[in-house]
């Protein structure tokens, strides 16, 4: 007679240390677990409640400016540094780790600093700034430190324009940058005059953005409600789109070269495909006042926008409504927002002279996680995604405490 016996290795069920969890055999037959879906639903509801309970997005307020913050630039070669320009002509470079001013230029421009952007290349501390004083200035932190010796920093180069500037952006690889004013001007860093003047109708151009993937394409928006795409190779326009109201800001998707987002005066954020400009790919509706700035996350899957309604909103680009809203009692109208390049934080600058640092995920725990903790977080996210359309879970996940002014306006 042949006898079949079950055999298990003791090594599979013996703890290596006393702190390990005791391993137990588990039969996953659904017939043995009739209440599995009920348990999962309860876990999903608890996970949704815990997410809202631990949602504390605000991290710090970087104070130092004495006027509103109207321009901001992140450094692609140094995740710690962010440059901001204010209404009194001051430029500050901030360290996000220490939450202090790393470097400042008290009187960089006469009047409002309308735009700042970093210069790619070997020296990662060089950046451009433009203002309403019709000047473009190139700053270098290391060169100014060597030359000044404690005195006020001096620009490494200066370019003079004919009109008050409203924005600036640098080419990804070539020594070119573009400025917006009454027209779009393309400059070579080795020449004192612009090498190309681009215009197609607008009295004033609000901003200009160079595509960092399709590097020969740049976009601008003007006061005549137009969004215009230009080709640098031929110095000619490619396409023009006229909106219902004017556009305040443009952001290119870093992962999809043909996609860009616009912040509009009609309270909406629009995403477009430059290959088909006859309609918007998506319309993001939740702001109750003009949207002043917009920026993509490094993954290209999310957007952050700041509005005249004193709020910062985060969006999934495939959905029509914001996934979160950030606000404080003291925050005033938001004029510039940026996603940090590690995809974990959001920066906002408002006209109450403060730069605020937020979590990109309001309830996400910072710091290193153990394997068990990471697995628990991933399991909770899967549960919330699976049951997010059921009434109780949906209500908890969508609940937000918005200011009374925004609720009444909505």
């Amino acid at each position: 007679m042949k006898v079949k016996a079950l055999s298990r290795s003791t090594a599979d069920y013996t703890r290596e240390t006393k702190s390990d969890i005791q391993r137990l055999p588990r039969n996953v037959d659904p017939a043995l677990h009739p209440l599995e879906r009920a348990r999962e639903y309860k876990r999903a509801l608890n996970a949704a409640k815990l997410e809202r309970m631990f949602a504390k997005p605000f991290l710090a307020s970087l104070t130092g400016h004495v006027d509103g913050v109207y321009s901001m630039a992140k450094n692609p070669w140094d995740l710690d540094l962010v440059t901001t320009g204010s209404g009194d002509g001051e430029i500050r470079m901030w360290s996000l780790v220490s939450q202090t001013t790393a470097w400042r230029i008290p009187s960089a421009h006469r009047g409002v600093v309308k735009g700042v952007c970093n210069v790619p290349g070997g020296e990662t501390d060089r950046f451009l700034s433009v203002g309403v004083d019709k000047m473009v200035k190139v700053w270098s932190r290391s060169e100014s430190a060597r030359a000044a010796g404690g005195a006020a920093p001096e620009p490494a180069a200066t370019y003079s324009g004919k009109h008050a500037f409203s924005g600036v952006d640098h080419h990804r690889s070539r020594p070119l940058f573009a400025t917006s004013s009454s027209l779009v001007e393309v400059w070579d860093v080795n020449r004192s005059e612009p090498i190309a003047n681009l215009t197609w109708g607008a009295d004033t151009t609000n901003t200009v953005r160079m595509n960092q993937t399709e590097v020969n394409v740049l976009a601008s928006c003007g006061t005549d409600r137009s969004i215009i795409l230009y080709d640098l190779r031929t110095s000619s326009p490619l396409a023009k789109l006229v909106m219902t109201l004017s556009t305040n800001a443009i952001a290119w998707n870093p992962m999809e070269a043909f996609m860009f987002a616009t912040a509009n005066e009609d309270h909406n954020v629009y995403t477009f495909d430059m290959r088909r400009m006859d309609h918007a790919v998506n319309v993001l509706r939740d702001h109750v006042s003009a949207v002043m700035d917009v920026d993509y996350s490094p993954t290209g899957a999310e957007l952050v926008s700041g509005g005249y309604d004193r709020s910062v909103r985060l969006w999934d680009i495939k959905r029509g409504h914001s996934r979160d809203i950030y606000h404080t009692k003291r925050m005033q109208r938001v004029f510039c927002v940026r996603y940090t390049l590690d995809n974990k934080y959001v920066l906002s600058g408002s006209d109450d002279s403060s730069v605020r640092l937020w979590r990109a995920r309001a309830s996400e725990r910072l710091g290193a996680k153990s394997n068990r903790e990471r697995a628990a977080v991933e399991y909770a996210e899967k549960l919330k995604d699976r049951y997010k359309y059921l009434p109780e879970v949906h209500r908890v996940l969508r609940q937000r405490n918005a200011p009374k002014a925004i609720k009444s306006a909505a």
Side-chain angles (χ1 to χ4, degrees):
M1 183 176 66
K2 189 175 182 181
V3 178
K4 293 183 179 179
L6 293 175
S7 63
R8 294 193 180 98
S9 172
T10 56
D12 295 339
Y13 298 95
T14 305
R15 292 185 295 177
E16 294 182 2
T17 64
K18 289 183 178 180
S19 60
D20 285 351
I21 298 175
Q22 190 75 42
R23 297 179 181 178
L24 297 172
R26 179 166 179 259
N27 192 333
V28 294
D29 183 5
L32 300 177
H33 303 280
L35 300 177
E36 183 179 14
R37 288 185 65 83
R39 286 196 200 98
E40 272 196 349
Y41 178 72
K42 188 65 176 177
R43 288 173 186 165
L45 185 59
N46 289 340
K49 290 179 178 178
L50 286 172
E51 178 192 317
R52 299 314 310 150
M53 185 185 298
F54 290 109
K56 289 180 170 51
F58 180 72
L59 291 175
S61 178
L62 312 180
T63 56
H65 284 296
V66 296
D67 206 332
V69 181
Y70 299 108
S71 56
M72 185 182 296
K74 50 193 177 184
N75 193 333
W77 301 274
D78 194 336
L79 299 181
D80 182 33
L81 296 179
V82 171
T83 308
T84 57
S86 71
D88 61 349
E90 183 186 43
I91 294 176
R92 284 180 182 253
M93 190 177 287
W94 304 89
S95 170
L96 298 182
V97 174
S98 62
Q99 298 173 9
T100 56
T101 302
W103 190 56
R104 65 184 288 259
I105 311 164
S107 300
H109 291 273
R110 295 190 306 273
V112 184
V113 180
K114 298 294 287 185
V116 288
C117 72
N118 284 85
V119 178
E123 297 185 46
T124 61
D125 65 342
R126 294 174 72 91
F127 65 92
L128 292 163
S129 67
V130 297
V132 295
D133 57 355
K134 306 178 185 178
M135 302 294 288
V136 183
K137 296 184 179 181
V138 184
W139 304 91
S140 174
R141 186 179 173 188
S142 57
E143 291 178 16
S144 297
R146 288 195 299 267
E154 293 293 328
T158 304
Y159 306 89
S160 179
K162 298 179 181 177
H163 310 279
F165 294 111
S166 59
V168 63
D169 202 15
H170 202 284
H171 195 277
R172 175 168 182 159
S173 55
R174 295 167 60 190
L176 299 176
F177 64 90
T179 59
S180 59
S181 55
S182 295
L183 67 165
V184 177
E185 296 173 311
V186 181
W187 304 71
D188 190 323
V189 297
N190 300 314
R191 299 188 181 185
S192 59
E193 295 291 329
I195 60 173
N197 295 330
L198 310 174
T199 182
W200 193 2
D203 294 332
T204 304
T205 306
N206 293 331
T207 190
V208 62
R209 282 288 177 269
M210 284 196 170
N211 194 329
Q212 299 299 306
T213 309
E214 287 289 334
V215 293
N216 293 309
V217 177
L218 65 89
S220 70
C221 54
T223 52
D224 63 344
R225 301 176 287 122
S226 64
I227 299 170
I228 308 174
L229 303 181
Y230 295 99
D231 191 339
L232 288 176
R233 292 165 294 193
T234 60
S235 297
S236 61
L238 291 173
K240 181 176 182 178
L241 173 67
V242 178
M243 305 290 290
T244 306
L245 293 177
S246 63
T247 299
N248 293 316
I250 295 175
W252 288 98
N253 192 320
M255 303 302 289
E256 298 177 353
F258 302 105
M259 305 296 293
F260 64 94
T262 63
N264 203 273
E265 283 280 339
D266 64 0
H267 314 173
N268 299 331
V269 176
Y270 297 88
T271 58
F272 289 98
D273 188 332
M274 63 180 284
R275 297 166 296 185
R276 294 197 62 184
M277 296 278 286
D278 56 342
H279 67 281
V281 175
N282 197 4
V283 183
L284 312 178
R285 317 166 187 269
D286 263 342
H287 281 287
V288 296
S289 190
V291 188
M292 304 307 297
D293 199 10
V294 65
D295 189 37
Y296 273 98
S297 67
T299 61
E302 292 191 335
L303 282 166
V304 60
S305 64
Y308 214 69
D309 56 3
R310 304 180 178 90
S311 70
V312 176
R313 290 185 180 268
L314 293 105
W315 316 77
D316 183 338
I317 61 170
K318 295 181 180 178
R319 301 185 181 277
H321 293 279
S322 59
R323 67 166 176 83
D324 218 333
I325 175 174
Y326 295 165
H327 57 89
T328 66
K329 286 185 178 179
R330 297 183 179 183
M331 185 166 72
Q332 296 301 310
R333 294 163 297 207
V334 182
F335 283 90
C336 52
V337 288
R338 289 293 181 271
Y339 243 106
T340 59
L341 290 166
D342 58 357
N343 202 38
K344 292 184 178 179
Y345 305 99
V346 166
L347 288 155
S348 67
S350 52
D351 62 357
D352 59 355
S353 74
S354 292
V355 179
R356 289 177 172 83
L357 180 65
W358 314 81
R359 287 188 179 97
R361 296 279 174 179
S363 58
E364 185 178 20
R365 176 182 170 273
L366 303 180
K369 300 182 182 70
S370 65
N371 289 335
R372 283 179 58 194
E373 187 175 5
R374 192 179 299 110
V377 170
E378 291 174 358
Y379 178 60
E381 290 295 325
K382 287 292 184 183
L383 284 178
K384 287 185 288 186
D385 186 61
R386 182 175 183 179
Y387 292 97
K388 63 185 175 183
Y389 294 115
L390 293 181
E392 285 185 296
V393 179
H394 180 75
R395 180 178 57 82
V396 173
L397 289 176
R398 288 294 303 166
Q399 191 270 335
R400 296 292 184 276
N401 293 322
K404 185 177 179 181
I406 292 180
K407 281 191 174 181
S408 60

